[in-house]
Structure formats: structure tokens, C-alpha cells
Amino acid sequence: MATSVRLIRRYVWLIDTIRRGGKMTIEEINRKWMEERGIRLGDEGEIPERTFHRHRQAVADIFGVDIVCSRSEGNVYYIDNVEELSVPSFSSWLFNGLAIENRLMANKDMADRIFFERGLGDTGYLSAIIEAMDKDRVVSIDYLRFNSSAEKHWVVEPYGLKQSDRRWYLIGRRQGSKYLMVLSLDRISSLRIGNDTFKRDSSVNVEAYFSDIIGVNMDEDFGVQPVRLRVYGTQRAYIEALPVHNSQRCVESTAEYSDYEFTLRPEYEFQHAVLRLGGDAEVLSPQWLREDIEWHAREILKRYRGE
């Protein structure tokens, strides 16, 4: 294993060990290290104190995780900002993936007992897009939509990236256009960073652009409005653990059901999120959305009846 890769894995091991251990002395950390079978070489001894402190600094620089010392509690070390490991970011994504990989290296047999969901999103262009965003460079893209047989060529000003439903999306503007477009990376057949630069429009806020919808399907035909949804039984626990939308709030709860209010654009993605709940959910308002969901339910019934 290359030295640089081994070091990254050790940083991840150190974070994961202290995160799970809570507050630990260097001696306790070293006892764990000497039990490590995956990334510690067989003839390696304990981590020298000077090396430990270099690792602490590297962990802060790479992952933004602060391992601090509490001298009043007997020189124990703990993670001061453990929440950084659960905030959606490339750093937390990388850390959690490598932490699992470290465990699998310690026991190769475990690989046959852990199953990952197949990801459809192509990440091969992520690095190039991020570089273009950093340098405010346009990207030249060949793109094929699902509903088209003709490939399109666009020169795009990249403004952001968004992950949704196992896919990565590029958010940008075609040169000469003032409107944002959303492109799925797995539909890009080629991408090249151009030589031309562009001046970013300071009024464009990618996060705010998606704040009123689920996923990436922005449909201007749907205005932002309040929606009330009734959810029955145990499905309430699921949507409370993983909210349908960031505006979700419970406004009434009984033994049988709970009512939730949302403020969003109730477009395609939201409607299908409701339909996925099946008979455990009921739209209370607005009336037009209730009727649309009812229409979808009737169409599903017709399909199953062969009508």
C-alpha cells in the first residue's frame, strides 16, 4: 500500500477509534492500535507521541475534525466537533467510506456479509467539474437525455453539484442563457474543461434554488404552497427519522395518525414520495393535490385490473 494511502487510512482509524471510545488517553489509543489487524503492519510498535500529534494536525487539515486534549480529566483526547462527521460533505463521505474499508481490511471474510446498494450516478466527472468550478472555467459537454436519441453539445458555466437519489447532477448555465439547467452526470458522454472563463452571477444561489423541492426536478408550473399530509401507523416513524422535505413539521398527532405540514412546490418528486407511502398516507390539502393523488391511485388500480 502506498505510503500516502496508508497515512490517510491511519488518520481515519484514529478518528474512528476516538469517536467510538469517547475520551481516551494515548495509552488507551495505543492499546487499540496494537490490536489493529487491518492497517497496522505486523512489526510496527506503538504510535510515538510526536507522530500522534502530527496525525492530530493532519486530521484537522484534511477532515476538519478537531482532536483536543482535556488535561483536567487526566490528559484524555476527544473529538471536539464530532458533528462534522455526519454533516453532508465530501470529507464526511470520504471518512465514513474509509472507516468501513478499514474494518473490512481487518477481516476479509466480512466483505461477503456486507452489501452495498448499486449506485447509478457516474462520479468520473466530479473531479473535473469541481476544478472548473474552482477556476470559473466553462465545461464543454456532450449530453444524451433519457427521452431523446439525439446527443446535444453544450458549453456550460458550472455553478454547483448536487447528489439526489443515487445520482450526481451538475447545475449550471449554458453560455448566453440566464436560466439554470440540471444535468445528470451519468448522461454525459464526454466532458472537457474549456479555456474560457466566466463571471459568476452573484445572485445565483444553488442551495436556495432547490430549497422548495425534493430532488432536482424544478417545475415552475408549481408554486410554493402549504401542503398537509396525514400519515398512518408505523410509517410516521420512518418519515420522522428521514423527513420528506426540510420544511416538514408535525402539527397534530394521535394514536392512529399524525398530520404533517410542508411548504414547497408539490411537483412530480413530492407526489411520488406520497405515492410511495401507499395507503399509509393521505393528502388533506390542497384539494387539487388530493385529487391528483386520487387520480394516480385510480390509474394504478386500472393497470392492475387490466382496464
Side-chain angles (χ1 to χ4, degrees), residues 16 32 35 39 53 65 94-95 108 119 144 149 152 213 244 252 259:
D16 193 39
K32 287 288 187 182
E35 296 169 1
I39 59 175
H53 292 302
V65 172
L94 175 64
F95 165 78
K108 300 291 186 182
L144 181 63
S149 59
K152 300 289 186 181
I213 62 172
V244 175
E252 184 179 346
D259 288 350

Side-chain angles (χ1 to χ4, degrees), residues 140-210:
S140 180
I141 292 174
D142 290 321
Y143 193 81
L144 181 63
R145 296 184 185 276
F146 278 117
N147 59 354
S148 174
S149 59
E151 198 169 65
K152 300 289 186 181
H153 177 79
W154 291 311
V155 177
V156 178
E157 301 170 353
Y159 273 79
L161 285 160
K162 180 177 172 62
Q163 188 181 37
S164 177
D165 197 20
R166 294 185 292 153
R167 281 190 169 89
W168 280 100
Y169 294 87
L170 165 63
I171 299 92
R173 295 200 302 198
R174 290 168 58 185
Q175 275 191 322
S177 173
K178 63 179 181 178
Y179 299 105
L180 288 177
M181 63 191 312
V182 179
L183 303 174
S184 177
L185 266 60
D186 64 324
R187 305 308 298 167
I188 296 176
S189 57
S190 71
L191 182 147
R192 181 179 59 83
I193 300 176
N195 294 321
D196 294 342
T197 60
F198 67 98
K199 182 176 176 58
R200 273 179 290 161
D201 185 345
S202 60
S203 67
V204 174
N205 185 324
V206 174
E207 183 178 6
Y209 181 76
F210 292 107

Side-chain angles (χ1 to χ4, degrees), residues 53 86 118 121 127 154 197 249 257:
H53 292 302
S86 57
R118 181 181 177 185
S127 179
W154 291 311
T197 60
R249 65 188 185 93
Y257 62 81

Side-chain angles (χ1 to χ4, degrees), residues 175-297:
Q175 275 191 322
S177 173
K178 63 179 181 178
Y179 299 105
L180 288 177
M181 63 191 312
V182 179
L183 303 174
S184 177
L185 266 60
D186 64 324
R187 305 308 298 167
I188 296 176
S189 57
S190 71
L191 182 147
R192 181 179 59 83
I193 300 176
N195 294 321
D196 294 342
T197 60
F198 67 98
K199 182 176 176 58
R200 273 179 290 161
D201 185 345
S202 60
S203 67
V204 174
N205 185 324
V206 174
E207 183 178 6
Y209 181 76
F210 292 107
S211 64
D212 299 324
I213 62 172
I214 296 173
V216 295
N217 185 42
M218 172 60 71
D219 191 337
E220 299 288 352
D221 289 340
F222 294 88
V224 177
Q225 56 193 284
V227 174
R228 188 156 179 151
L229 181 70
R230 177 165 293 174
V231 181
Y232 296 88
T234 58
Q235 284 295 335
R236 293 177 290 179
Y238 289 99
I239 74 164
E240 285 172 7
L242 191 63
V244 175
H245 184 259
N246 56 33
S247 66
Q248 175 181 309
R249 65 188 185 93
C250 182
V251 293
E252 184 179 346
S253 188
T254 70
E256 182 184 357
Y257 62 81
S258 293
D259 288 350
Y260 299 91
E261 280 193 354
F262 304 84
T263 303
L264 43 57
R265 298 178 189 269
E267 39 64 62
Y268 172 90
E269 295 285 357
F270 179 76
Q271 292 182 30
H272 278 255
V274 173
L275 288 166
R276 279 195 291 269
L277 294 171
D280 292 321
E282 176 188 2
V283 172
L284 301 181
S285 65
Q287 183 61 29
W288 70 264
L289 180 59
R290 181 179 174 88
E291 292 170 0
D292 273 12
I293 296 296
E294 182 184 354
W295 177 84
H296 282 296

Side-chain angles (χ1 to χ4, degrees), residues 98-146:
L98 286 175
I100 294 170
E101 185 70 15
N102 280 351
R103 292 298 94 217
L104 294 181
M105 287 180 66
N107 188 342
K108 300 291 186 182
D109 293 338
M110 288 296 295
D112 295 330
R113 297 165 56 190
I114 299 174
F115 305 96
F116 296 91
E117 188 174 71
R118 181 181 177 185
L120 297 176
D122 190 335
T123 59
Y125 296 118
L126 279 176
S127 179
I129 293 171
I130 293 171
E131 179 184 345
M133 289 166 57
D134 179 53
K135 297 177 179 178
D136 289 336
R137 294 271 190 90
V138 299
V139 288
S140 180
I141 292 174
D142 290 321
Y143 193 81
L144 181 63
R145 296 184 185 276
F146 278 117

Side-chain angles (χ1 to χ4, degrees), residues 1-17:
M1 185 189 298
T3 302
S4 57
V5 175
R6 185 179 295 117
L7 276 174
I8 292 292
R9 290 191 179 279
R10 291 181 184 207
Y11 301 154
V12 169
W13 177 89
L14 182 62
I15 297 170
D16 193 39
T17 298

